[in-house]
Short mmCIF file of all heavy atoms in Angstrom, two decimals:
data_model
loop_
_atom_site.label_atom_id
_atom_site.label_comp_id
_atom_site.label_asym_id
_atom_site.label_seq_id
_atom_site.Cartn_x
_atom_site.Cartn_y
_atom_site.Cartn_z
N PRO W 144 -12.92 17.44 27.26
CA PRO W 144 -14.14 17.62 26.45
C PRO W 144 -13.93 17.40 24.97
O PRO W 144 -14.88 17.03 24.27
CB PRO W 144 -14.54 19.07 26.76
CG PRO W 144 -13.30 19.74 27.22
CD PRO W 144 -12.53 18.69 27.94
N VAL W 145 -12.69 17.61 24.48
CA VAL W 145 -12.41 17.37 23.07
C VAL W 145 -12.62 15.89 22.74
O VAL W 145 -13.35 15.52 21.80
CB VAL W 145 -10.98 17.79 22.71
CG1 VAL W 145 -10.65 17.41 21.27
CG2 VAL W 145 -10.79 19.29 22.91
N PHE W 146 -12.00 15.02 23.53
CA PHE W 146 -12.13 13.58 23.28
C PHE W 146 -13.53 13.09 23.60
O PHE W 146 -14.04 12.17 22.94
CB PHE W 146 -11.09 12.81 24.10
CG PHE W 146 -9.71 12.88 23.54
CD1 PHE W 146 -8.75 13.71 24.11
CD2 PHE W 146 -9.36 12.13 22.43
CE1 PHE W 146 -7.48 13.78 23.59
CE2 PHE W 146 -8.09 12.20 21.89
CZ PHE W 146 -7.14 13.02 22.47
N ALA W 147 -14.18 13.69 24.60
CA ALA W 147 -15.55 13.28 24.93
C ALA W 147 -16.49 13.57 23.77
O ALA W 147 -17.33 12.73 23.40
CB ALA W 147 -16.01 13.99 26.20
N ARG W 148 -16.36 14.75 23.17
CA ARG W 148 -17.24 15.12 22.06
C ARG W 148 -16.98 14.25 20.82
O ARG W 148 -17.91 13.80 20.16
CB ARG W 148 -17.06 16.60 21.71
CG ARG W 148 -17.74 17.55 22.66
CD ARG W 148 -17.51 18.99 22.24
NE ARG W 148 -18.28 19.90 23.07
CZ ARG W 148 -19.54 20.24 22.88
NH1 ARG W 148 -20.20 19.71 21.86
NH2 ARG W 148 -20.15 21.08 23.68
N VAL W 149 -15.70 14.07 20.49
CA VAL W 149 -15.36 13.25 19.32
C VAL W 149 -15.84 11.82 19.50
O VAL W 149 -16.43 11.21 18.59
CB VAL W 149 -13.84 13.28 19.08
CG1 VAL W 149 -13.43 12.25 18.03
CG2 VAL W 149 -13.39 14.67 18.64
N THR W 150 -15.62 11.26 20.69
CA THR W 150 -16.04 9.89 20.96
C THR W 150 -17.55 9.75 20.91
O THR W 150 -18.09 8.81 20.30
CB THR W 150 -15.53 9.44 22.35
OG1 THR W 150 -14.11 9.56 22.38
CG2 THR W 150 -15.92 8.00 22.63
N ARG W 151 -18.25 10.68 21.54
CA ARG W 151 -19.72 10.60 21.55
C ARG W 151 -20.28 10.72 20.14
O ARG W 151 -21.18 9.95 19.75
CB ARG W 151 -20.29 11.72 22.43
CG ARG W 151 -21.81 11.76 22.47
CD ARG W 151 -22.29 12.92 23.33
NE ARG W 151 -23.76 12.98 23.37
CZ ARG W 151 -24.50 13.62 22.47
NH1 ARG W 151 -23.91 14.24 21.45
NH2 ARG W 151 -25.82 13.64 22.58
N GLY W 152 -19.77 11.67 19.36
CA GLY W 152 -20.28 11.86 18.01
C GLY W 152 -20.07 10.64 17.14
O GLY W 152 -20.96 10.22 16.38
N ALA W 153 -18.86 10.03 17.22
CA ALA W 153 -18.59 8.84 16.42
C ALA W 153 -19.39 7.64 16.91
O ALA W 153 -19.88 6.83 16.11
CB ALA W 153 -17.09 8.53 16.47
N ALA W 154 -19.54 7.51 18.22
CA ALA W 154 -20.26 6.37 18.78
C ALA W 154 -21.75 6.43 18.46
O ALA W 154 -22.38 5.40 18.22
CB ALA W 154 -20.04 6.30 20.28
N LEU W 155 -22.32 7.62 18.47
CA LEU W 155 -23.76 7.75 18.20
C LEU W 155 -24.13 7.20 16.82
O LEU W 155 -25.19 6.58 16.65
CB LEU W 155 -24.18 9.22 18.30
CG LEU W 155 -24.37 9.78 19.71
CD1 LEU W 155 -24.70 11.26 19.65
CD2 LEU W 155 -25.45 9.02 20.47
N SER W 156 -23.27 7.42 15.84
CA SER W 156 -23.56 6.92 14.49
C SER W 156 -23.50 5.40 14.43
O SER W 156 -24.17 4.78 13.59
CB SER W 156 -22.57 7.52 13.49
OG SER W 156 -21.24 7.11 13.78
N LEU W 157 -22.73 4.78 15.32
CA LEU W 157 -22.62 3.32 15.32
C LEU W 157 -23.78 2.66 16.06
O LEU W 157 -24.16 1.52 15.75
CB LEU W 157 -21.30 2.89 15.96
CG LEU W 157 -20.02 3.29 15.23
CD1 LEU W 157 -18.79 2.79 15.97
CD2 LEU W 157 -20.02 2.76 13.80
N TRP W 158 -24.34 3.36 17.04
CA TRP W 158 -25.42 2.77 17.82
C TRP W 158 -26.68 2.51 16.97
O TRP W 158 -27.58 1.77 17.39
CB TRP W 158 -25.79 3.68 19.00
CG TRP W 158 -24.94 3.43 20.21
CD1 TRP W 158 -23.85 4.14 20.62
CD2 TRP W 158 -25.10 2.37 21.17
NE1 TRP W 158 -23.32 3.61 21.77
CE2 TRP W 158 -24.06 2.52 22.14
CE3 TRP W 158 -26.00 1.32 21.30
CZ2 TRP W 158 -23.92 1.65 23.22
CZ3 TRP W 158 -25.87 0.45 22.38
CH2 TRP W 158 -24.84 0.61 23.32
N THR W 159 -26.76 3.10 15.79
CA THR W 159 -27.94 2.91 14.94
C THR W 159 -27.75 1.75 13.94
O THR W 159 -28.69 1.44 13.20
CB THR W 159 -28.23 4.20 14.15
OG1 THR W 159 -27.10 4.52 13.31
CG2 THR W 159 -28.48 5.36 15.09
N LEU W 160 -26.58 1.13 13.92
CA LEU W 160 -26.30 0.08 12.94
C LEU W 160 -26.93 -1.25 13.36
O LEU W 160 -27.19 -1.51 14.54
CB LEU W 160 -24.80 -0.08 12.76
CG LEU W 160 -24.07 1.16 12.24
CD1 LEU W 160 -22.58 0.87 12.06
CD2 LEU W 160 -24.67 1.65 10.92
N ASP W 161 -27.12 -2.14 12.38
CA ASP W 161 -27.83 -3.40 12.60
C ASP W 161 -27.08 -4.33 13.55
O ASP W 161 -27.69 -5.00 14.38
CB ASP W 161 -28.06 -4.11 11.26
CG ASP W 161 -29.06 -3.39 10.39
OD1 ASP W 161 -29.83 -2.57 10.94
OD2 ASP W 161 -29.06 -3.62 9.16
N TYR W 162 -25.74 -4.39 13.43
CA TYR W 162 -25.02 -5.34 14.27
C TYR W 162 -25.04 -4.92 15.74
O TYR W 162 -24.99 -5.76 16.64
CB TYR W 162 -23.59 -5.54 13.76
CG TYR W 162 -22.62 -4.44 14.08
CD1 TYR W 162 -21.79 -4.51 15.20
CD2 TYR W 162 -22.50 -3.34 13.24
CE1 TYR W 162 -20.88 -3.50 15.48
CE2 TYR W 162 -21.59 -2.34 13.51
CZ TYR W 162 -20.78 -2.42 14.64
OH TYR W 162 -19.88 -1.43 14.91
N ILE W 163 -25.15 -3.61 15.99
CA ILE W 163 -25.30 -3.15 17.37
C ILE W 163 -26.70 -3.51 17.88
O ILE W 163 -26.86 -3.95 19.03
CB ILE W 163 -25.06 -1.63 17.45
CG1 ILE W 163 -23.64 -1.29 17.01
CG2 ILE W 163 -25.32 -1.14 18.88
CD1 ILE W 163 -22.56 -1.85 17.90
N PHE W 164 -27.69 -3.36 17.00
CA PHE W 164 -29.05 -3.74 17.39
C PHE W 164 -29.12 -5.23 17.70
O PHE W 164 -29.80 -5.66 18.66
CB PHE W 164 -30.03 -3.37 16.26
CG PHE W 164 -31.45 -3.74 16.56
CD1 PHE W 164 -32.20 -3.00 17.46
CD2 PHE W 164 -32.04 -4.84 15.93
CE1 PHE W 164 -33.52 -3.34 17.74
CE2 PHE W 164 -33.35 -5.18 16.20
CZ PHE W 164 -34.09 -4.44 17.11
N SER W 165 -28.40 -6.02 16.92
CA SER W 165 -28.39 -7.47 17.15
C SER W 165 -27.75 -7.79 18.49
O SER W 165 -28.21 -8.69 19.22
CB SER W 165 -27.63 -8.17 16.02
OG SER W 165 -28.26 -7.95 14.77
N ALA W 166 -26.68 -7.08 18.83
CA ALA W 166 -26.01 -7.31 20.12
C ALA W 166 -26.93 -6.95 21.27
O ALA W 166 -26.96 -7.65 22.30
CB ALA W 166 -24.71 -6.50 20.18
N ARG W 167 -27.71 -5.89 21.09
CA ARG W 167 -28.65 -5.50 22.15
C ARG W 167 -29.77 -6.53 22.30
O ARG W 167 -30.18 -6.87 23.42
CB ARG W 167 -29.23 -4.12 21.83
CG ARG W 167 -28.18 -3.00 21.83
CD ARG W 167 -28.76 -1.68 21.37
NE ARG W 167 -29.75 -1.17 22.32
CZ ARG W 167 -30.46 -0.07 22.13
NH1 ARG W 167 -30.30 0.63 21.00
NH2 ARG W 167 -31.32 0.35 23.03
N VAL W 168 -30.25 -7.03 21.18
CA VAL W 168 -31.29 -8.05 21.23
C VAL W 168 -30.78 -9.32 21.89
O VAL W 168 -31.51 -10.02 22.60
CB VAL W 168 -31.81 -8.35 19.80
CG1 VAL W 168 -32.73 -9.57 19.80
CG2 VAL W 168 -32.52 -7.13 19.23
N ALA W 169 -29.47 -9.60 21.66
CA ALA W 169 -28.87 -10.79 22.26
C ALA W 169 -28.68 -10.65 23.77
O ALA W 169 -28.31 -11.61 24.43
CB ALA W 169 -27.54 -11.09 21.60
N GLY W 170 -28.95 -9.48 24.30
CA GLY W 170 -28.88 -9.29 25.75
C GLY W 170 -27.60 -8.67 26.26
O GLY W 170 -27.38 -8.61 27.48
N LYS W 171 -26.74 -8.21 25.35
CA LYS W 171 -25.49 -7.58 25.79
C LYS W 171 -25.78 -6.24 26.44
O LYS W 171 -26.61 -5.47 25.95
CB LYS W 171 -24.53 -7.39 24.62
CG LYS W 171 -23.66 -8.59 24.33
CD LYS W 171 -22.51 -8.22 23.41
CE LYS W 171 -21.57 -9.39 23.22
NZ LYS W 171 -20.41 -9.06 22.37
N ARG W 172 -25.07 -5.97 27.51
CA ARG W 172 -25.24 -4.69 28.20
C ARG W 172 -24.53 -3.58 27.42
O ARG W 172 -23.61 -3.84 26.63
CB ARG W 172 -24.70 -4.79 29.62
CG ARG W 172 -25.38 -5.86 30.44
CD ARG W 172 -24.91 -5.85 31.87
NE ARG W 172 -25.19 -4.58 32.53
CZ ARG W 172 -25.07 -4.39 33.84
NH1 ARG W 172 -24.69 -5.39 34.62
NH2 ARG W 172 -25.33 -3.21 34.37
N ALA W 173 -24.96 -2.36 27.68
CA ALA W 173 -24.41 -1.22 26.95
C ALA W 173 -22.90 -1.09 27.16
O ALA W 173 -22.17 -0.71 26.25
CB ALA W 173 -25.12 0.06 27.39
N PHE W 174 -22.44 -1.41 28.37
CA PHE W 174 -21.00 -1.31 28.65
C PHE W 174 -20.21 -2.25 27.76
O PHE W 174 -19.19 -1.86 27.16
CB PHE W 174 -20.74 -1.62 30.13
CG PHE W 174 -19.28 -1.68 30.48
CD1 PHE W 174 -18.55 -0.52 30.65
CD2 PHE W 174 -18.64 -2.90 30.61
CE1 PHE W 174 -17.19 -0.57 30.96
CE2 PHE W 174 -17.29 -2.96 30.92
CZ PHE W 174 -16.56 -1.79 31.09
N LEU W 175 -20.65 -3.51 27.65
CA LEU W 175 -19.95 -4.48 26.82
C LEU W 175 -20.01 -4.12 25.34
O LEU W 175 -19.04 -4.28 24.61
CB LEU W 175 -20.52 -5.88 27.04
CG LEU W 175 -20.20 -6.54 28.38
CD1 LEU W 175 -20.87 -7.90 28.48
CD2 LEU W 175 -18.69 -6.68 28.57
N ILE W 176 -21.15 -3.61 24.91
CA ILE W 176 -21.26 -3.18 23.51
C ILE W 176 -20.28 -2.05 23.22
O ILE W 176 -19.61 -2.02 22.18
CB ILE W 176 -22.71 -2.75 23.21
CG1 ILE W 176 -23.65 -3.95 23.28
CG2 ILE W 176 -22.80 -2.10 21.83
CD1 ILE W 176 -25.11 -3.60 23.10
N SER W 177 -20.18 -1.11 24.15
CA SER W 177 -19.27 0.03 23.97
C SER W 177 -17.82 -0.43 23.88
O SER W 177 -17.06 0.06 23.04
CB SER W 177 -19.44 1.03 25.11
OG SER W 177 -20.73 1.59 25.12
N VAL W 178 -17.45 -1.38 24.73
CA VAL W 178 -16.06 -1.83 24.79
C VAL W 178 -15.73 -2.78 23.64
O VAL W 178 -14.66 -2.68 23.03
CB VAL W 178 -15.78 -2.50 26.15
CG1 VAL W 178 -14.39 -3.14 26.16
CG2 VAL W 178 -15.90 -1.49 27.28
N GLU W 179 -16.64 -3.71 23.32
CA GLU W 179 -16.34 -4.76 22.36
C GLU W 179 -16.65 -4.37 20.92
O GLU W 179 -16.01 -4.90 19.99
CB GLU W 179 -17.11 -6.03 22.72
CG GLU W 179 -16.70 -6.64 24.05
CD GLU W 179 -17.49 -7.89 24.39
OE1 GLU W 179 -18.35 -8.29 23.56
OE2 GLU W 179 -17.27 -8.47 25.47
N HIS W 180 -17.60 -3.48 20.72
CA HIS W 180 -18.03 -3.16 19.34
C HIS W 180 -17.81 -1.70 18.96
O HIS W 180 -17.38 -1.42 17.84
CB HIS W 180 -19.52 -3.51 19.17
CG HIS W 180 -19.83 -4.95 19.42
ND1 HIS W 180 -19.41 -5.97 18.60
CD2 HIS W 180 -20.52 -5.55 20.43
CE1 HIS W 180 -19.82 -7.14 19.07
NE2 HIS W 180 -20.51 -6.91 20.19
N ILE W 181 -18.12 -0.78 19.87
CA ILE W 181 -18.02 0.65 19.53
C ILE W 181 -16.57 1.11 19.52
O ILE W 181 -16.09 1.67 18.53
CB ILE W 181 -18.86 1.50 20.51
CG1 ILE W 181 -20.33 1.07 20.50
CG2 ILE W 181 -18.71 2.98 20.16
CD1 ILE W 181 -21.03 1.31 19.20
N LEU W 182 -15.88 0.89 20.62
CA LEU W 182 -14.51 1.41 20.76
C LEU W 182 -13.56 0.92 19.67
O LEU W 182 -12.81 1.73 19.10
CB LEU W 182 -13.97 1.07 22.15
CG LEU W 182 -12.59 1.65 22.50
CD1 LEU W 182 -12.61 3.17 22.39
CD2 LEU W 182 -12.18 1.24 23.91
N PRO W 183 -13.53 -0.39 19.34
CA PRO W 183 -12.61 -0.81 18.27
C PRO W 183 -12.89 -0.15 16.93
O PRO W 183 -11.97 0.04 16.13
CB PRO W 183 -12.85 -2.33 18.19
CG PRO W 183 -13.37 -2.70 19.53
CD PRO W 183 -14.21 -1.54 19.96
N ASN W 184 -14.15 0.20 16.68
CA ASN W 184 -14.50 0.79 15.38
C ASN W 184 -14.25 2.29 15.30
O ASN W 184 -14.33 2.87 14.21
CB ASN W 184 -15.96 0.49 15.06
CG ASN W 184 -16.17 -0.93 14.58
OD1 ASN W 184 -15.82 -1.28 13.45
ND2 ASN W 184 -16.70 -1.77 15.44
N ILE W 185 -14.01 2.93 16.44
CA ILE W 185 -13.68 4.36 16.41
C ILE W 185 -12.24 4.61 16.85
O ILE W 185 -11.83 5.76 16.99
CB ILE W 185 -14.65 5.17 17.31
CG1 ILE W 185 -14.49 4.77 18.78
CG2 ILE W 185 -16.08 5.00 16.85
CD1 ILE W 185 -15.29 5.65 19.74
N ALA W 186 -11.47 3.54 17.05
CA ALA W 186 -10.08 3.68 17.52
C ALA W 186 -9.24 4.49 16.53
O ALA W 186 -8.41 5.30 16.94
CB ALA W 186 -9.46 2.31 17.76
N ASN W 187 -9.44 4.25 15.23
CA ASN W 187 -8.68 4.99 14.22
C ASN W 187 -8.92 6.48 14.32
O ASN W 187 -7.98 7.29 14.24
CB ASN W 187 -9.04 4.50 12.82
CG ASN W 187 -8.63 3.06 12.57
OD1 ASN W 187 -7.80 2.51 13.30
ND2 ASN W 187 -9.22 2.43 11.57
N LEU W 188 -10.18 6.86 14.51
CA LEU W 188 -10.53 8.28 14.65
C LEU W 188 -9.87 8.86 15.89
O LEU W 188 -9.38 10.00 15.87
CB LEU W 188 -12.04 8.43 14.73
CG LEU W 188 -12.58 9.84 14.97
CD1 LEU W 188 -12.21 10.75 13.81
CD2 LEU W 188 -14.09 9.80 15.15
N LEU W 189 -9.85 8.11 16.98
CA LEU W 189 -9.25 8.59 18.22
C LEU W 189 -7.73 8.75 18.08
O LEU W 189 -7.15 9.66 18.67
CB LEU W 189 -9.58 7.64 19.37
CG LEU W 189 -11.06 7.56 19.75
CD1 LEU W 189 -11.27 6.53 20.85
CD2 LEU W 189 -11.59 8.92 20.19
N VAL W 190 -7.10 7.86 17.32
CA VAL W 190 -5.65 7.98 17.09
C VAL W 190 -5.34 9.27 16.33
O VAL W 190 -4.40 10.00 16.68
CB VAL W 190 -5.13 6.75 16.32
CG1 VAL W 190 -3.70 6.98 15.84
CG2 VAL W 190 -5.18 5.51 17.19
N VAL W 191 -6.12 9.54 15.31
CA VAL W 191 -5.92 10.78 14.54
C VAL W 191 -6.15 12.00 15.41
O VAL W 191 -5.37 12.96 15.41
CB VAL W 191 -6.86 10.80 13.31
CG1 VAL W 191 -6.75 12.14 12.59
CG2 VAL W 191 -6.51 9.66 12.35
N GLN W 192 -7.24 11.99 16.19
CA GLN W 192 -7.53 13.11 17.07
C GLN W 192 -6.44 13.27 18.13
O GLN W 192 -6.06 14.39 18.49
CB GLN W 192 -8.88 12.91 17.75
CG GLN W 192 -9.37 14.12 18.55
CD GLN W 192 -9.61 15.33 17.68
OE1 GLN W 192 -10.20 15.21 16.59
NE2 GLN W 192 -9.18 16.50 18.13
N GLY W 193 -5.92 12.14 18.63
CA GLY W 193 -4.84 12.21 19.61
C GLY W 193 -3.60 12.86 19.04
O GLY W 193 -2.91 13.62 19.73
N THR W 194 -3.30 12.58 17.77
CA THR W 194 -2.15 13.21 17.12
C THR W 194 -2.33 14.72 17.01
O THR W 194 -1.40 15.49 17.25
CB THR W 194 -1.94 12.60 15.72
OG1 THR W 194 -1.84 11.18 15.82
CG2 THR W 194 -0.67 13.14 15.08
N ILE W 195 -3.52 15.12 16.64
CA ILE W 195 -3.82 16.56 16.53
C ILE W 195 -3.71 17.24 17.89
O ILE W 195 -3.09 18.31 18.03
CB ILE W 195 -5.21 16.78 15.92
CG1 ILE W 195 -5.26 16.25 14.49
CG2 ILE W 195 -5.60 18.25 15.97
CD1 ILE W 195 -6.64 16.24 13.87
N GLN W 196 -4.29 16.61 18.92
CA GLN W 196 -4.22 17.19 20.27
C GLN W 196 -2.79 17.20 20.80
O GLN W 196 -2.42 18.06 21.59
CB GLN W 196 -5.13 16.42 21.22
CG GLN W 196 -6.62 16.53 20.89
CD GLN W 196 -7.08 17.96 20.78
OE1 GLN W 196 -7.57 18.40 19.75
NE2 GLN W 196 -6.89 18.74 21.84
N PHE W 197 -1.99 16.24 20.36
CA PHE W 197 -0.59 16.19 20.76
C PHE W 197 0.15 17.42 20.24
O PHE W 197 0.94 18.04 20.96
CB PHE W 197 0.04 14.91 20.23
CG PHE W 197 1.44 14.66 20.70
CD1 PHE W 197 1.82 14.93 22.01
CD2 PHE W 197 2.39 14.15 19.84
CE1 PHE W 197 3.11 14.70 22.44
CE2 PHE W 197 3.69 13.91 20.26
CZ PHE W 197 4.05 14.19 21.57
N SER W 198 -0.12 17.78 18.98
CA SER W 198 0.53 18.97 18.42
C SER W 198 0.06 20.23 19.14
O SER W 198 0.86 21.14 19.42
CB SER W 198 0.24 19.07 16.92
OG SER W 198 -1.13 19.34 16.68
N LEU W 199 -1.23 20.28 19.48
CA LEU W 199 -1.73 21.43 20.24
C LEU W 199 -1.13 21.46 21.64
O LEU W 199 -0.88 22.53 22.19
CB LEU W 199 -3.26 21.37 20.32
CG LEU W 199 -4.03 21.57 19.01
CD1 LEU W 199 -5.53 21.39 19.24
CD2 LEU W 199 -3.74 22.95 18.44
N GLY W 200 -0.90 20.27 22.21
CA GLY W 200 -0.26 20.21 23.52
C GLY W 200 1.15 20.79 23.51
O GLY W 200 1.56 21.44 24.47
N ILE W 201 1.89 20.54 22.42
CA ILE W 201 3.22 21.13 22.27
C ILE W 201 3.13 22.65 22.27
O ILE W 201 3.91 23.35 22.95
CB ILE W 201 3.89 20.64 20.97
CG1 ILE W 201 4.11 19.12 20.99
CG2 ILE W 201 5.21 21.37 20.73
CD1 ILE W 201 5.17 18.63 21.92
N LEU W 202 2.17 23.18 21.51
CA LEU W 202 1.99 24.63 21.46
C LEU W 202 1.57 25.19 22.81
O LEU W 202 2.06 26.25 23.24
CB LEU W 202 0.95 24.99 20.40
CG LEU W 202 1.39 24.97 18.94
CD1 LEU W 202 0.20 25.23 18.03
CD2 LEU W 202 2.48 26.00 18.69
N MET W 203 0.64 24.51 23.48
CA MET W 203 0.16 25.00 24.78
C MET W 203 1.27 24.98 25.81
O MET W 203 1.41 25.92 26.60
CB MET W 203 -1.01 24.13 25.25
CG MET W 203 -2.29 24.31 24.46
SD MET W 203 -3.61 23.22 25.07
CE MET W 203 -4.94 23.63 23.93
N GLU W 204 2.08 23.92 25.81
CA GLU W 204 3.19 23.84 26.77
C GLU W 204 4.17 24.98 26.53
O GLU W 204 4.65 25.61 27.48
CB GLU W 204 3.89 22.49 26.65
CG GLU W 204 4.91 22.22 27.74
CD GLU W 204 6.24 22.91 27.53
OE1 GLU W 204 6.62 23.12 26.36
OE2 GLU W 204 6.92 23.23 28.54
N ALA W 205 4.47 25.23 25.26
CA ALA W 205 5.39 26.32 24.93
C ALA W 205 4.80 27.67 25.37
O ALA W 205 5.52 28.52 25.92
CB ALA W 205 5.68 26.34 23.43
N GLY W 206 3.50 27.86 25.14
CA GLY W 206 2.87 29.11 25.55
C GLY W 206 2.85 29.30 27.05
O GLY W 206 3.12 30.40 27.55
#
Side-chain angles (χ1 to χ4, degrees):
V145 174
F146 284 103
R148 283 180 174 276
V149 170
T150 302
R151 178 182 179 273
L155 282 176
S156 63
L157 295 181
W158 273 100
T159 61
L160 299 182
D161 291 341
Y162 77 95
I163 298 296
F164 179 74
S165 299
R167 296 174 66 184
V168 171
K171 274 194 175 182
R172 301 185 60 169
F174 174 78
L175 288 178
I176 293 175
S177 296
V178 173
E179 295 179 2
H180 301 291
I181 302 295
L182 185 58
N184 283 286
I185 64 173
N187 294 342
L188 176 63
L189 295 177
V190 169
V191 174
Q192 188 64 43
T194 305
I195 295 172
Q196 295 306 121
F197 187 40
S198 68
L199 292 176
I201 297 289
L202 282 175
M203 289 179 181
E204 189 281 329

